[in-house]
Amino acid sequence: MMRKPRPFNKHGPRNSKAPRLKQKKKRDLEKSEITVLESSKAELDGMNPEEIQSFNVLPLSKMTLKGLREAGFSVPTKVQRQSLVYSLRGVDVVAAAKTGSGKTLAFIVPLDGLGVLVITPTRELAYQIFEVLNKVGKEHDFSAGLVIGGKDLKYEWSRISSCNIMICTPGRLLQHMTENAEFVTDHVQELPAERQTLLFSATQTRDVKDLIRAGCSEPVFCSVHEHSKTSTPKGLQESYVLCSPEEKFTFLWSFIRHHRKRKILVFLATCKQVLILVFVATCKQVLILVFVATCKQVLILVFVATCKQVLILVFVATCKQVLILVFVATCKQVLILVFVATCKQVLILVFVATCKQVLILVFLATCKQVLILVFVATCKQVLILVFVATCKQVQYYYNMFCKLHPGLSVMGLHGSMHQLRRMAVYDEFCRKKNAVLIATDVAARGLDIPAVDWVVQVDCPEDVTTYIHRVGRTARYSCSGEAILLLTPSEEPAMLDCMKAKNIPIEKIDVDSSKLQGANVKMEIVLSKYNNLKEEAVRAFKSYLKHVALMRNKKVFSVTAIDCDAFARSLGLVVTPRVRFIEKQLKQKGQGNTATPGATTTQHNPSVSLKPKLTTLDFGGAGDSDEEEEDFLSTAKDQTIYLPPEDPQDPEAAEEPNVTQSKKKKPITKYAVVKKLLKKNLQINTRVVFDEEGEEILDPRKQQISQAARTEGEEEAGGINIARLQKIMSEEDKVDKKVHAYKQKEKNCLKRRTRELAREAKRARVAQSSTLESLPVDEQEQLALFLLRNKN
Ligand SMILES: Nc1ncnc2c1ncn2[C@@H]1O[C@H](COP(=O)(O)OP(=O)(O)OP(=O)(O)O)[C@@H](O)[C@H]1O
């Protein structure tokens, strides 16, 4: 929550007249400014958006203009120009513009603070908008609130109603609307008749349903890049690689290893007449230059070389008198320079080299008299954003990479993380210059991390819209960037068709498989050491299969096209975890087939190994529960799993034994027994003890939870309240002490009773024996003492 604090002095709120007068003066000034702005809004009618070259020409308040200036925004972008001329007039606007084109500012600038509700799809995006609002609107007196899940709900309760601007995610807003009695919801549940709605997206449709949902009335459409040839930003280079699921981890590992920061400089110079050479070379792939120059008097060389991939320069120059060399080289991937120069008198060298990945320089110079060297070499660091399909994959990939040490700092971001951790990871990644962030689609929409160089989509996006948002995390505003998509052979044709239809310029690239570095052995070693990581691997495996099975577009996604065994191995698992929902599907399919006489009852796909195997392990406890699997199937009512049509002609299919019809008796598992009992609705008896008055005697051991803890459990968790937790802890402590005392008492009682019994038994034995001599000496002594004591 952002609230401007009320002015205080040491006696409480300030009450002197001076500040009030100052405030009145400020309000009067504001009123007069609003009147001027209202009248100048009419000028917007005849304004040509393309002619707006500065925010200053727009009817904006001095405070907004100051905020924009200080945040470094002076010239509005296309979407800002086109939408502001309408939104500042109070008209509803529906705008579509490519990712990174400045839509956030386009809807923040017109916010007047009377009562604004900003709804965004993800928490990170809400947080980012809140930050931009704080920056641009810092001169204003509005109060703004960030209302997102994962924060303390009760803390927000009383404060939320006093906010002028509320930036929220839909879930949290709904939670306040239903649970918060102090939240005045009239204007949210029933939107005021006089309102303005702005709808901004990178993938806007003119779908009437969308507009109705957003509550737009007669909106103005600003489709900024409607006539653009592509749907993705200009500076973005897009490519895809054909890669089966089992090769994905290896690809990602090799990709990250390849982008480690490597700068190798070997430099050696000693110091003792005219050739002028100006050399300009540009090359897209590989530029190899071997340069040998000898000169007696003056040798001047100006050398400019740019290359996209590999630039190798071997340079040998000898000169007797003056050797001047200006060298500028930029290369995206590998720059290797071997430089040998000898000169008797003056050697001046200005050397500037920038390289994104690997820069190797071996430099040897000898000069007898003057040697001046200006040397600047930078090897650009990279920020890589990796998208995978599920939270569990993020978790596993992140932890595994941390153990494998790829040479780059790795981070993970997904929706199941605690909100504070999510924000910390996001902030840290924004600050880093050389890192990898593995994320789910929570990072796909709206996030503005300006320096992202690569977007790697390890798992195919759900649809083209998601693809556009994901790749839009790079090449933002005026920057350039690259995006790579991994497509499995079964996903490739249909996905490419969808992309073509949406004007996505994507090129296929081949990967030299000999250069891929596998990490399987290392992974297996790590998994054998860390059991929890193995469980994570199983969860990642299952969650990916579930994800693929749940995808709507069955032309693109096919779970049966996945080689489960190979995929499990690629994650470092020695045995393939059992995936019950696929088996179930195959079983159902098999049973269905039996009804059709003559039909082939087997389901076989050569690349599929979904049948239960002897080597298959059931990680039920460690992985997702069966219930979860059933839930997932039942909730996905419209999302049935696609099984390829059977081919009765397939000879292999005919030979394959039908697993589902196998007569082998299933082993009875504990799970099956419990399931059976639950079906019968059997209840286990409970023992209740009553005292003489008929009151139930409660067993203190079963009352081990304090009242405070009980009510806490019943309350909805809305973040962590340290004070409340401390109170609960102290009460719990008291209960624990009581229970301990009770147990101790019982223990002592038992000991005493055992001793008494032993003594009685001894006495009985003495009575039976005729003489005391028949007893051992120590027992004789004890008995004598006992008799003496009783006698007294
Ligand atoms: N007028 C401007 N001048 C300079 N930079 C700007 C301007 N407007 C926006 N930017 C910068 O452009 C970048 C992208 O802006 P923004 O996040 O608003 O894009 P977007 O269109 O909302 O992207 P997405 O569709 O991904 O959400 C930001 O870093 C922002 O600071």
Side-chain angles (χ1 to χ4, degrees):
M1 289 294 202
M2 183 188 79
R3 287 281 295 152
K4 278 220 163 182
R6 234 178 117 193
F8 268 71
N9 61 22
K10 66 178 178 183
H11 307 295
R14 265 197 259 145
N15 278 326
S16 75
K17 278 186 177 174
R20 266 192 260 165
L21 280 172
K22 211 173 158 188
Q23 270 181 7
K24 192 177 174 292
K25 212 172 157 188
K26 198 177 166 192
R27 270 202 304 271
D28 290 344
L29 269 170
E30 271 175 15
K31 269 184 195 164
S32 62
E33 193 182 8
I34 289 169
T35 324
V36 174
L37 287 175
E38 285 295 333
S39 58
S40 57
K41 272 185 185 173
E43 292 167 19
L44 285 167
D45 278 340
M47 214 180 249
N48 178 1
E50 294 311 312
E51 284 169 4
I52 302 170
Q53 291 307 320
S54 164
F55 282 112
N56 293 335
V57 299
L58 291 164
L60 296 171
S61 69
K62 280 181 192 147
M63 286 183 281
T64 303
L65 287 173
K66 193 175 174 206
L68 283 168
R69 214 172 29 246
E70 282 175 10
F73 304 123
S74 51
V75 183
T77 63
K78 205 169 178 182
V79 64
Q80 290 161 6
R81 289 196 297 265
Q82 293 205 356
S83 64
L84 283 172
V85 287
Y86 297 106
S87 57
L88 287 173
R89 268 189 259 163
V91 178
D92 284 4
V93 176
V94 174
K98 287 182 185 180
T99 52
S101 55
K103 293 183 287 291
T104 311
L105 213 56
F107 66 77
I108 276 185
V109 169
L111 303 186
D112 57 12
L114 280 178
V116 180
L117 192 63
V118 180
I119 305 176
T120 73
T122 65
R123 296 174 186 182
E124 280 73 17
L125 184 53
Y127 174 60
Q128 187 184 293
I129 295 171
F130 184 68
E131 296 275 289
V132 179
L133 179 74
N134 273 345
K135 224 167 32 168
V136 176
K138 68 175 184 183
E139 299 296 323
H140 285 276
D141 284 339
F142 313 141
S143 63
L146 177 64
V147 183
I148 56 174
K151 288 169 74 218
D152 188 357
L153 186 75
K154 291 228 168 108
Y155 177 79
E156 287 173 1
W157 269 34
S158 52
R159 290 160 181 85
I160 197 165
S161 298
S162 55
C163 278
N164 297 119
I165 304 173
M166 233 164 73
I167 299 167
C168 52
T169 46
R172 188 56 153 216
L173 176 66
L174 209 64
Q175 199 176 2
H176 274 291
M177 284 164 70
T178 51
E179 291 173 25
N180 185 356
E182 289 166 61
F183 184 46
V184 186
T185 59
D186 301 357
H187 58 285
V188 179
Q189 266 166 351
E190 257 178 58
L191 294 167
E194 221 177 285
R195 65 170 191 274
Q196 186 185 7
T197 308
L198 309 175
L199 190 67
F200 281 79
S201 179
T203 50
Q204 197 69 261
T205 58
R206 292 187 178 213
D207 197 332
V208 181
K209 270 190 258 164
D210 287 351
L211 302 179
I212 292 171
R213 208 168 47 193
C216 293
S217 64
E218 296 175 23
V220 174
F221 289 93
C222 297
S223 196
V224 179
H225 300 111
E226 205 169 17
H227 304 296
S228 173
K229 275 187 189 162
T230 61
S231 327
T232 43
K234 238 190 195 169
L236 179 68
Q237 202 178 314
E238 294 160 90
S239 45
Y240 80 91
V241 170
L242 207 57
C243 182
S244 59
E246 59 268 24
E247 291 164 346
K248 285 181 177 179
F249 198 94
T250 304
F251 178 90
L252 185 60
W253 170 252
S254 306
F255 187 87
I256 293 173
R257 293 277 298 166
H258 189 67
H259 285 88
R260 280 174 305 162
K261 197 174 88 183
R262 276 170 291 175
K263 189 155 76 175
I264 304 166
L265 307 176
V266 179
F267 189 85
L268 198 82
T270 59
C271 179
K272 267 198 174 186
Q273 282 170 4
V274 180
L275 169 66
I276 301 176
L277 178 73
V278 177
F279 185 86
V280 180
T282 57
C283 175
K284 271 209 168 168
Q285 281 178 10
V286 181
L287 172 64
I288 301 174
L289 180 74
V290 178
F291 187 85
V292 181
T294 55
C295 175
K296 279 210 171 160
Q297 282 180 7
V298 181
L299 170 60
I300 300 174
L301 174 74
V302 178
F303 183 88
V304 181
T306 59
C307 179
K308 273 209 171 163
Q309 284 179 10
V310 182
L311 170 62
I312 300 174
L313 174 73
V314 178
F315 183 85
V316 181
T318 55
C319 178
K320 281 208 172 156
Q321 283 181 8
V322 182
L323 171 60
I324 299 174
L325 176 72
V326 178
F327 184 87
V328 180
T330 58
C331 179
K332 272 208 172 165
Q333 285 180 8
V334 183
L335 170 61
I336 301 173
L337 175 75
V338 179
F339 184 86
V340 181
T342 55
C343 178
K344 278 209 172 159
Q345 284 180 8
V346 182
L347 170 60
I348 300 173
L349 175 73
V350 178
F351 183 86
V352 180
T354 58
C355 178
K356 274 204 172 172
Q357 284 171 22
V358 184
L359 170 64
I360 300 173
L361 175 73
V362 179
F363 186 86
L364 199 82
T366 56
C367 179
K368 275 213 171 160
Q369 283 179 9
V370 183
L371 169 63
I372 300 172
L373 176 75
V374 179
F375 183 84
V376 181
T378 56
C379 183
K380 198 184 177 291
Q381 295 154 324
V382 280
L383 274 192
I384 305 170
L385 182 54
V386 177
F387 284 104
V388 294
T390 66
C391 300
K392 287 168 185 170
Q393 279 172 282
V394 173
Q395 197 68 32
Y396 175 61
Y397 281 38
Y398 165 68
N399 285 326
M400 183 48 98
F401 276 125
C402 287
K403 293 270 182 295
L404 295 177
H405 305 290
L408 261 181
S409 79
V410 181
M411 282 173 255
L413 184 75
H414 58 82
S416 309
M417 280 162 71
H418 190 277
Q419 188 52 32
L420 293 177
R421 181 84 199 111
R422 272 170 74 167
M423 283 183 178
V425 168
Y426 168 66
D427 279 342
E428 201 186 339
F429 188 64
C430 289
R431 278 197 310 271
K432 289 242 173 186
K433 290 204 165 76
N434 201 210
V436 183
L437 176 67
I438 305 173
T440 54
D441 283 335
V442 289
R445 283 175 186 249
L447 285 202
D448 183 45
I449 309 161
V452 171
D453 301 277
W454 280 94
V455 167
V456 182
Q457 301 186 53
V458 169
D459 295 326
C460 181
E462 188 181 349
D463 47 33
V464 183
T465 306
T466 311
Y467 172 88
I468 294 173
H469 285 288
R470 279 179 175 187
V471 296
R473 295 319 100 210
T474 184
R476 295 183 71 73
Y477 190 52
S478 54
C479 298
S480 62
E482 283 180 69
I484 195 155
L485 167 70
L486 305 192
L487 286 178
T488 63
S490 64
E491 290 163 353
E492 188 195 18
M495 195 64 193
L496 284 186
D497 286 347
C498 301
M499 288 171 126
K500 227 186 238 169
K502 289 254 175 159
N503 299 333
I504 304 227
I506 192 162
E507 273 177 28
K508 183 178 178 176
I509 53 168
D510 293 321
V511 172
D512 184 353
S513 56
S514 65
K515 286 194 179 145
L516 291 178
Q517 313 168 353
N520 265 47
V521 180
K522 271 192 195 170
M523 285 166 81
E524 279 173 22
I525 295 169
V526 169
L527 291 192
S528 65
K529 234 166 128 185
Y530 302 96
N531 213 26
N532 56 340
L533 205 56
K534 191 150 85 188
E535 286 166 9
E536 278 182 7
V538 175
R539 286 190 210 118
F541 170 86
K542 289 185 176 182
S543 68
Y544 175 70
L545 294 178
K546 281 179 190 176
H547 164 82
V548 174
L550 280 173
M551 287 292 104
R552 276 170 200 272
N553 193 343
K554 300 300 176 201
K555 283 182 191 154
V556 176
F557 299 96
S558 163
V559 75
T560 51
I562 300 168
D563 182 343
C564 289
D565 288 338
F567 180 49
R569 288 317 149 265
S570 75
L571 295 178
L573 292 167
V574 182
V575 278
T576 313
R578 216 170 132 187
V579 191
R580 291 210 181 104
F581 74 91
I582 299 180
E583 283 170 21
K584 217 172 187 177
Q585 284 293 313
L586 285 171
K587 195 173 165 185
Q588 278 168 7
K589 191 85 182 166
Q591 276 167 359
N593 285 338
T594 49
T596 329
T600 315
T601 52
T602 48
Q603 178 74 46
H604 182 76
N605 181 335
S607 66
V608 185
S609 62
L610 300 170
K611 59 190 188 299
K613 292 195 169 184
L614 276 177
T615 53
T616 303
L617 266 193
D618 185 7
F619 290 85
D624 306 332
S625 69
D626 247 11
E627 274 160 29
E628 217 179 307
E629 286 182 1
E630 272 168 37
D631 270 348
F632 125 79
L633 285 173
S634 57
T635 50
K637 276 177 195 154
D638 52 343
Q639 301 168 344
T640 48
I641 290 164
Y642 172 78
L643 290 169
E646 298 149 11
D647 182 4
Q649 307 300 320
D650 186 356
E652 276 184 70
E655 280 164 31
E656 189 74 22
N658 186 359
V659 176
T660 56
Q661 289 188 334
S662 159
K663 279 174 191 165
K664 241 194 257 172
K665 221 177 174 186
K666 264 191 175 177
I668 301 165
T669 61
K670 269 186 196 172
Y671 169 78
V673 174
V674 171
K675 210 171 165 188
K676 213 168 174 181
L677 287 173
L678 284 175
K679 255 189 197 162
K680 286 187 181 170
N681 211 10
L682 291 177
Q683 304 253 323
I684 298 164
N685 290 337
T686 49
R687 181 169 172 259
V688 183
V689 183
F690 298 92
D691 64 8
E692 282 165 9
E693 273 114 47
E695 292 285 322
E696 186 185 341
I697 302 169
L698 297 172
D699 184 347
R701 280 164 299 179
K702 290 180 186 159
Q703 307 299 310
Q704 285 179 9
I705 186 162
S706 68
Q707 193 55 36
R710 222 185 290 273
T711 47
E712 166 70 12
E714 285 155 16
E715 272 175 25
E716 180 67 28
I720 298 169
N721 185 336
I722 302 289
R724 202 172 61 219
L725 286 179
Q726 272 175 341
K727 193 178 161 222
I728 293 167
M729 291 291 281
S730 74
E731 279 193 32
E732 282 285 277
D733 201 32
K734 279 180 205 160
V735 173
D736 283 351
K737 276 180 187 158
K738 260 188 203 169
V739 171
H740 178 75
Y742 179 85
K743 279 185 186 168
Q744 199 64 38
K745 210 169 156 191
E746 267 197 335
K747 229 168 149 180
N748 292 342
C749 234
L750 199 73
K751 266 189 196 168
R752 222 179 304 132
R753 184 83 194 117
T754 325
R755 273 202 304 264
E756 267 171 22
L757 283 173
R759 254 182 256 141
E760 271 169 23
K762 215 182 273 174
R763 256 176 261 146
R765 262 191 286 153
V766 170
Q768 276 175 10
S769 64
S770 53
T771 56
L772 269 171
E773 282 74 44
S774 60
L775 285 171
V777 179
D778 60 331
E779 282 193 17
Q780 282 179 30
E781 279 175 8
Q782 274 187 17
L783 192 66
L785 280 170
F786 175 77
L787 290 170
L788 275 171
R789 240 187 270 134
N790 279 344
K791 201 178 168 189
N792 292 337

